[in-house]
């Protein structure tokens, strides 16, 4: 395979991944509390097995200590990571992996389309709208918190 073809394939893969965590959607589904960190409105974009999806939610830190989301995992995804979508100087939207999302004491942070999100890669099964998937969010202080996320059509 030539270098050029490889580059084109990489570009196509990146575009598909960006599309998976792009625009649209809203929040507002059941909340699951764990300790004094609570997570509300968790949802995941519908996608086919083998594809990439993204999870969105709001984290409320009701504790007196600063905390940070440091990892995410789900049985439906063979790998998952924290991402941030940003727009570069030329106006191109892209995303990059980040190590942590800070949640200050008494504060909250939202993972939402166009911003922070949890990228779910290499899905083990189809994610169909109306179903529910389990996510494990790991915090540096609070530890792991499991939440249920509703699958929604994009
Ligand atoms: Cu992403």
């Amino acid at each position: 395979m030539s270098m050029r073809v490889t580059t084109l394939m990489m570009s196509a893969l990146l575009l598909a991944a960006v599309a998976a965590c792009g625009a649209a959607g809203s929040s507002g589904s059941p909340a699951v509390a764990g300790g004094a960190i609570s997570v509300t409105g968790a949802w995941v974009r519908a996608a086919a097995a083998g594809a990439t999806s993204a999870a969105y939610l709001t984290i409320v830190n009701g504790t007196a200590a600063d905390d940070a989301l440091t990892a995410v995992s789900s049985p439906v995804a063979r790998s998952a990571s924290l991402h941030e979508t940003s727009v570069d100087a030329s106006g191109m939207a892209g995303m990059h992996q980040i190590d942590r999302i800070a949640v200050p004491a008494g504060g909250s942070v939202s993972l939402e389309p166009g911003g922070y999100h949890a990228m779910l890669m290499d899905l083990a099964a189809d994610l169909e709208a109306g179903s529910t998937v389990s996510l494990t969010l790991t915090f540096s202080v609070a530890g792991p918190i499991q939440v249920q996320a509703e699958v929604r059509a994009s």
Side-chain angles (χ1 to χ4, degrees):
M1 184 182 294
S2 78
M3 198 67 174
R4 179 169 163 72
V5 170
T6 305
T7 304
L8 283 171
M9 285 182 63
M10 291 297 292
S11 300
L13 283 171
L14 183 60
L15 280 175
V18 170
C21 49
S26 58
S27 59
S29 69
V32 177
I37 293 269
S38 59
V39 176
T40 63
W43 68 280
V44 172
R45 194 181 301 281
T52 296
S53 184
Y56 307 101
L57 46 89
T58 295
I59 302 159
V60 178
N61 183 352
T63 77
D66 291 340
D67 207 338
L69 176 62
T70 57
V72 61
S73 66
S74 174
V76 302
R78 295 191 178 91
S79 77
S81 54
L82 301 174
H83 277 191
E84 181 176 19
T85 300
S86 53
V87 178
D88 70 17
S90 65
M92 282 290 293
M95 59 180 184
H96 58 276
Q97 190 169 340
I98 52 178
D99 291 336
R100 64 205 313 275
I101 297 173
V103 194
S108 67
V109 63
S110 289
L111 280 63
E112 56 195 1
Y116 295 129
H117 55 278
M119 206 77 200
L120 305 177
M121 291 161 286
D122 194 7
L123 298 175
D126 291 343
L127 299 188
E128 293 177 3
S131 64
T132 299
V133 303
S134 170
L135 302 173
T136 299
L137 307 176
T138 302
F139 293 86
S140 59
V141 176
I145 294 177
Q146 197 174 64
V147 303
Q148 300 301 313
E150 178 192 344
V151 179
R152 297 188 192 165
S154 25

